[in-house]
Amino acid sequence: MAFQIPRGTQDILPGEAEKWQIIEAKARDICRRYNYKEIRTPIFEQTELFARGVGDTTDIVQKEMYEFKDRGGRSLTLRPEGTAPVVRSYVAEKMHGWVEQPVKLYYTGPMFRYERPQSGRMRQFVQFGVEALGSADPAVDAEVMALAMDIYKELGLKQVRLVVNSLGDTASRNAHREALTAHFATRIEEFCEDCQTRLHKNPLRILDCKKDRDHELISTAPSILDYLNDESIAYFDDVKRYLDDMGLDYTVDSSLVRGLDYYNNTAFEIMLDGEGFGAITTLAGGGRYNGLVEDIGGPETPGIGFAMSFERLLMALEVQGIQLTDEAPLDAYITAIGDEAKAVVPKLLHGLRAAGVAADTDYTGKKMKAQMKAANRQGAKVVLLIGDEELKDNQVTLKDMETGDQQLVRLEEAPAKTSAWLKGE
């Protein structure tokens, strides 16, 4: 039988995989400049971690998680997002006791959500994210947003917009929650079943509902900005001031609430304006989550982070016609004619690679002309030509593919000579 790829997944083939590598390398380099260190967490975690961390009123927990029982009867879940596992590790590994605070981390890897696949939204998708744990300084909020914006800008994306909001501290959120409950209560039967459940559990989620987003009560709902207390206002003002100081353009959107329960104070999204990107315009999102560490069993610890989709980033680059190219084509290609010449190729290839040279050869029995075409297609800078006649003299010909210059070298010296030639020595 012919096996089909599971719905909502994709094969990333050679030619496309290199684009992912370029994006990953750019993100890692920017994290290095910002002094964020990589963390790698398991692909599956205890189900309760996400129910408690992400929130049991979210679509993720209620509808989208890949949950299963292991042979010991324990409930496990393929990670649907990256923050809760990082915070779990922060608590379990006692990073709150590290001397240097905040602990600044980044991650990348596959996430899993069971939802209707569409352009830019897969059931297995790759997220890149950062988390800064251990500081309540609003300057860290601005730093995290600047890091995210730098990734898009340095990859060449245009029309990228930063949208920010404040969800307030606990007191502000409670006051806003009461106002929202009163606002929706008299007509809640007009909303979907999920929103009816959310009314008393977490009415803020109603504002983020995909089904009822066009309901008139959504547009007239009380704004969180009207319920911020003095402390929350001062905090948000500081965040905006730091963004201004950095020269980062942004807009304030009081309807921005984000989709997870753990957010408070700063919330933000990065969006792509312009035509051709489809209905999903959000490239990244994040915010502050003071209280999440305590919910997962750790000490009181402030935190902030964001996550971005690599799939959506690649879509955005394609829409804007930005080409990502592999900057390291093949260094050398060995062409061999004759059985005796082919017999020495594996050893020579190994020597080239050990000398730091990216090298390959033909394994399909092509004629010399076809081998040279293959070298050209793969961008080889140098071709090493071996025939039975050269082999009698223990020699190989090095040919510069750009200039056509050639030189004969001893076979055992070919790796070092090729490496030196490529370096211009």
Side-chain angles (χ1 to χ4, degrees):
M1 63 176 292
F3 290 98
Q4 300 297 318
I5 190 170
R7 188 168 184 241
T9 64
Q10 62 178 329
D11 294 317
I12 302 171
L13 304 180
E16 286 296 314
E18 288 80 1
K19 298 177 183 178
W20 289 74
Q21 293 166 7
I22 292 169
I23 291 173
E24 290 164 1
K26 173 58 68 176
R28 290 176 190 278
D29 180 60
I30 291 174
C31 283
R32 177 191 60 80
R33 286 184 252 157
Y34 278 75
N35 198 31
Y36 283 70
K37 310 296 185 183
E38 185 177 12
I39 183 171
R40 303 187 184 194
T41 63
I43 287 179
F44 58 88
E45 300 267 4
Q46 296 178 42
T47 298
E48 180 61 23
L49 171 66
F50 300 109
R52 183 179 300 182
V54 176
D56 58 9
T57 64
T58 61
D59 284 347
I60 291 176
V61 172
Q62 291 183 343
K63 303 175 182 179
E64 298 173 1
M65 295 202 310
Y66 280 89
E67 180 183 349
F68 62 96
K69 295 288 182 69
D70 69 6
R71 293 189 178 184
R74 293 170 288 263
S75 180
L76 302 172
T77 293
L78 296 179
R79 61 186 182 195
E81 59 93 44
T83 298
V86 170
V87 172
R88 189 270 311 149
S89 180
Y90 178 86
V91 174
E93 303 297 334
K94 296 181 171 56
M95 296 184 208
H96 46 81
W98 290 5
V99 174
E100 297 298 332
Q101 298 287 329
V103 176
K104 303 201 293 186
L105 306 166
Y106 75 89
Y107 63 86
T108 185
M111 309 291 165
F112 306 85
R113 297 183 191 176
Y114 188 86
E115 54 184 347
R116 185 172 64 85
Q118 55 183 293
S119 180
R121 180 172 287 162
M122 307 289 286
R123 289 178 175 173
Q124 177 180 319
F125 56 98
V126 175
Q127 273 191 350
F128 171 87
V130 308
E131 315 292 348
L133 294 138
S135 173
D137 190 332
V140 179
D141 301 36
E143 175 182 278
V144 165
M145 286 184 266
L147 189 160
M149 290 294 286
D150 278 353
I151 293 174
Y152 296 117
K153 289 179 179 178
E154 293 193 20
L155 286 169
L157 274 184
K158 309 296 183 185
Q159 296 178 290
V160 177
R161 178 165 51 96
L162 175 62
V163 181
V164 300
N165 190 27
S166 174
L167 303 180
D169 60 13
T170 301
S172 302
R173 285 167 64 86
N174 286 341
H176 184 229
R177 175 175 180 155
E178 292 178 6
L180 285 175
T181 302
H183 177 75
F184 289 114
T186 58
R187 298 173 61 184
I188 193 61
E189 70 279 355
E190 299 174 16
F191 288 78
C192 67
E193 290 184 11
D194 290 336
C195 285
Q196 293 179 35
T197 301
R198 291 164 178 157
L199 178 65
H200 295 291
K201 287 187 174 182
N202 190 349
L204 194 65
R205 294 276 64 78
I206 297 176
L207 301 179
D208 204 37
C209 179
K210 298 179 179 67
K211 293 181 180 178
D212 296 316
R213 65 177 64 185
D214 296 325
H215 195 287
E216 62 178 303
L217 289 186
I218 297 290
S219 60
T220 60
S223 169
I224 180 62
L225 298 181
D226 294 331
Y227 292 86
L228 297 180
N229 56 25
D230 291 343
E231 291 79 6
S232 296
I233 292 172
Y235 192 94
F236 194 35
D237 285 343
D238 283 343
V239 171
K240 292 184 289 183
R241 175 169 57 85
Y242 288 127
L243 292 174
D244 291 335
D245 291 345
M246 292 176 177
L248 284 175
D249 294 329
Y250 61 89
T251 57
V252 176
D253 182 355
S254 62
S255 67
L256 174 62
V257 298
R258 299 294 299 142
L260 307 179
D261 283 358
Y262 50 58
Y263 287 118
N264 48 61
N265 278 314
T266 306
F268 69 93
E269 290 186 351
I270 297 174
M271 314 192 72
L272 187 71
D273 292 331
E275 299 180 355
F277 194 54
I280 302 174
T281 59
T282 301
L283 296 173
R288 185 161 280 282
Y289 46 79
N290 303 343
L292 179 58
V293 176
E294 297 95 295
D295 289 343
I296 293 178
E300 183 177 349
T301 307
I304 184 171
F306 76 85
M308 66 169 59
S309 161
F310 275 0
E311 286 87 352
R312 292 188 191 178
L313 172 52
L314 283 162
M315 284 175 57
L317 291 168
E318 183 177 356
V319 164
Q320 295 192 1
I322 298 171
Q323 299 296 319
L324 298 180
T325 56
D326 187 354
E327 297 179 355
L330 201 62
D331 292 323
Y333 193 93
I334 301 175
T335 64
I337 297 298
D339 292 340
E340 292 184 11
K342 291 178 181 178
V344 303
V345 168
K347 181 179 179 180
L348 179 54
L349 262 179
H350 185 70
L352 287 166
R353 292 161 177 167
V357 176
D360 208 347
T361 191
D362 169 56
Y363 290 106
T364 62
K366 290 186 177 75
K367 302 290 186 181
M368 174 62 74
K369 185 176 181 180
Q371 290 185 50
M372 292 298 291
K373 287 183 177 180
N376 269 318
R377 284 195 302 272
Q378 298 185 59
K381 302 182 185 75
V382 175
V383 170
L384 290 80
L385 301 104
I386 310 173
D388 288 344
E389 289 301 316
E390 288 93 344
L391 198 57
K392 288 179 183 178
D393 297 324
N394 198 40
Q395 291 182 321
V396 57
T397 299
L398 304 187
K399 179 177 180 179
D400 188 313
M401 293 294 283
E402 182 177 353
T403 65
D405 294 342
Q406 296 184 181
Q407 64 171 284
L408 280 169
V409 301
R410 294 185 60 80
L411 186 61
E412 62 270 20
E413 296 176 352
K417 292 284 190 180
T418 302
S419 177
W421 196 347
L422 289 166
K423 295 175 182 175
E425 298 174 357

